[in-house]
């Protein structure tokens, strides 16, 4: 008997626009406001201006259960 295992992998971080889409928000400024207020965690990609938002912090903010 052959067993198939499916593993769902999600990224560790998302760009602001992608985070907004993942949260069901149309305006990326809403996500930026959440960052400014400390509700989401983010870091800058090395050598760029790109802000990368922690996917775990999105789950925490939305109250997702895993």
């Amino acid at each position: 008997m052959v067993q198939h295992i499916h593993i769902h992998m999600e990224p560790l971080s998302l760009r602001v626009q992608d985070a907004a889409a993942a949260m069901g928000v149309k305006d990326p400024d809403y996500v930026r406001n959440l960052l400014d207020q400390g509700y989401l965690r983010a870091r800058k990609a090395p050598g760029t201006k790109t802000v990368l938002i922690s996917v775990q912090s999105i789950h925490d903010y939305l109250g997702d259960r895993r």
Side-chain angles (χ1 to χ4, degrees):
M1 176 184 226
V2 176
Q3 289 185 344
H4 295 277
I5 299 173
H6 297 277
I7 299 173
H8 173 72
M9 303 273 301
E10 68 181 5
L12 296 176
S13 57
L14 296 171
R15 294 177 304 147
V16 171
Q17 303 89 303
D18 298 328
M23 295 173 70
V25 175
K26 290 185 180 183
D27 187 1
D29 285 337
Y30 179 78
V31 174
R32 289 183 188 93
N33 287 335
L34 292 175
L35 286 168
D36 291 343
Q37 295 172 20
Y39 289 108
L40 299 176
R41 293 184 312 277
R43 62 184 172 81
K44 291 253 179 139
T48 70
K49 294 181 180 182
T50 302
V51 175
L52 297 173
I53 300 167
S54 159
V55 171
Q56 182 60 52
S57 72
I58 294 170
H59 286 298
D60 293 345
Y61 176 74
L62 295 175
D64 293 344
R65 301 254 189 263
R66 294 208 206 190

